Amino acid sequence: MMHTSTHAATGQHLLLDLYGCDAALLSSLEQLTLLIKNAAHRANATIINSHFHHFGHQLGVTGVLLLKESHMSIHTWPEHGYAAIDIFMCGDAEVDQAKTYLLAAFKPDQHTSQKINRGLYSNVFPPVPA
Amino acid sequence: MMHTSTHAATGQHLLLDLYGCDAALLSSLEQLTLLIKNAAHRANATIINSHFHHFGHQLGVTGVLLLKESHMSIHTWPEHGYAAIDIFMCGDAEVDQAKTYLLAAFKPDQHTSQKINRGLYSNVFPPVPA
């Protein structure tokens, strides 16, 4: 849900673990930044801020997009062919569109995906009067 | 696990949902930035980058710390007294220390906490030769 609304504060948090990915891709700051931003656009999310960090030659990358709808993050371990991605989106953003795009882009040999609903109990607390 | 090592790429991802928090706290960019950074320090994590965004007067805050050990994020909905926090840490960082600190600082009426192990299957893929 958009932070600027007073709708129920619920969202979907997708944890995506990708195994057997190309090591060069997982060590490329430029490619990973592009892929994560593309995924956010596929989900119709709005990017507020982006920061990606490369730990060094042939080492991993860690990065995050702050979104109007929450965030996306990626952490990679090229030496294991492994990437941990999370996508937390509220409102009308389409988490599954981002997931589909990322699986096609990273081409993992195996992956696991867990979707967790957030903020389920927030309706027990009525909005605070302005 | 540190990105600069070649150890198994496993970590713990804690999803913390806080209900019934003080609305003024949840709309304070300064206080939330301080509390999340304090929690990272309690966990013995190393901050690489920090970005927090305030959606406006009495509205929510969304923010993230990029850590050497992965990331922490917070998204708040003051009108619901609700905060969604996630803490993803690898290696020797102590996720539970961060959680204990945050519960004491936010004093939620209710909370839910889910800890998810990440990268469990990465050991099936041996390190890529340098």
Side-chain angles (χ1 to χ4, degrees):
Chain A
M1 199 53 57
M2 311 281 271
H3 288 70
T4 49
S5 81
T6 53
H7 296 152
T10 57
Q12 292 189 313
H13 202 144
L14 185 75
L15 306 183
L16 197 56
D17 289 86
L18 308 180
Y19 302 96
C21 300
D22 179 64
L25 171 60
L26 297 190
S27 190
S28 169
L29 186 77
E30 295 72 20
Q31 287 186 73
L32 294 173
T33 303
L34 179 65
L35 294 180
I36 296 297
K37 286 186 175 180
N38 283 349
H41 292 138
R42 294 294 179 101
N44 286 320
T46 301
I47 298 170
I48 293 174
N49 183 262
S50 160
H51 192 88
F52 284 72
H53 175 83
H54 194 179
F55 287 93
H57 180 60
Q58 294 188 335
L59 296 177
V61 170
T62 194
V64 70
L65 299 183
L66 266 191
L67 305 174
K68 194 170 174 184
E69 298 80 8
S70 290
H71 74 267
M72 288 184 64
S73 73
I74 184 167
H75 309 287
T76 71
W77 286 258
E79 71 273 26
H80 294 282
Y82 169 64
I85 294 175
D86 76 305
I87 308 172
F88 181 18
M89 291 185 186
C90 308
D92 297 327
E94 297 173 42
V95 169
D96 291 332
Q97 294 292 327
K99 173 183 169 180
T100 299
Y101 173 80
L102 290 168
L103 290 177
F106 281 81
K107 299 179 179 61
D109 288 338
Q110 294 182 27
H111 74 275
T112 63
S113 174
Q114 300 176 75
K115 194 185 284 183
I116 294 138
N117 291 313
R118 305 287 303 266
L120 288 179
Y121 304 109
S122 53
N123 59 347
V124 304
F125 296 99
V128 177
Chain B
M1 198 54 57
M2 311 280 272
H3 288 70
T4 49
S5 81
T6 55
H7 296 153
T10 57
Q12 291 190 312
H13 202 145
L14 184 75
L15 305 183
L16 197 55
D17 290 86
L18 308 181
Y19 302 96
C21 300
D22 179 64
L25 171 60
L26 297 189
S27 190
S28 169
L29 186 76
E30 295 72 19
Q31 288 186 72
L32 295 174
T33 303
L34 180 65
L35 293 180
I36 296 298
K37 287 186 174 179
N38 283 349
H41 292 139
R42 294 295 179 102
N44 287 320
T46 302
I47 299 170
I48 293 173
N49 183 262
S50 160
H51 192 87
F52 284 73
H53 175 83
H54 195 180
F55 286 93
H57 180 61
Q58 293 188 335
L59 297 176
V61 170
T62 194
V64 70
L65 299 183
L66 265 190
L67 305 174
K68 194 169 175 186
E69 299 80 7
S70 290
H71 74 266
M72 288 185 63
S73 73
I74 184 167
H75 309 287
T76 71
W77 285 258
E79 72 273 26
H80 294 281
Y82 170 63
I85 294 175
D86 76 306
I87 307 172
F88 181 19
M89 292 185 185
C90 309
D92 297 327
E94 297 173 41
V95 168
D96 291 331
Q97 294 292 327
K99 173 183 168 181
T100 300
Y101 173 79
L102 290 168
L103 289 177
F106 281 81
K107 299 179 178 61
D109 289 337
Q110 295 182 26
H111 75 275
T112 63
S113 174
Q114 301 176 75
K115 193 185 284 183
I116 294 137
N117 291 313
R118 305 288 302 266
L120 288 179
Y121 304 110
S122 53
N123 59 347
V124 305
F125 297 98
V128 177

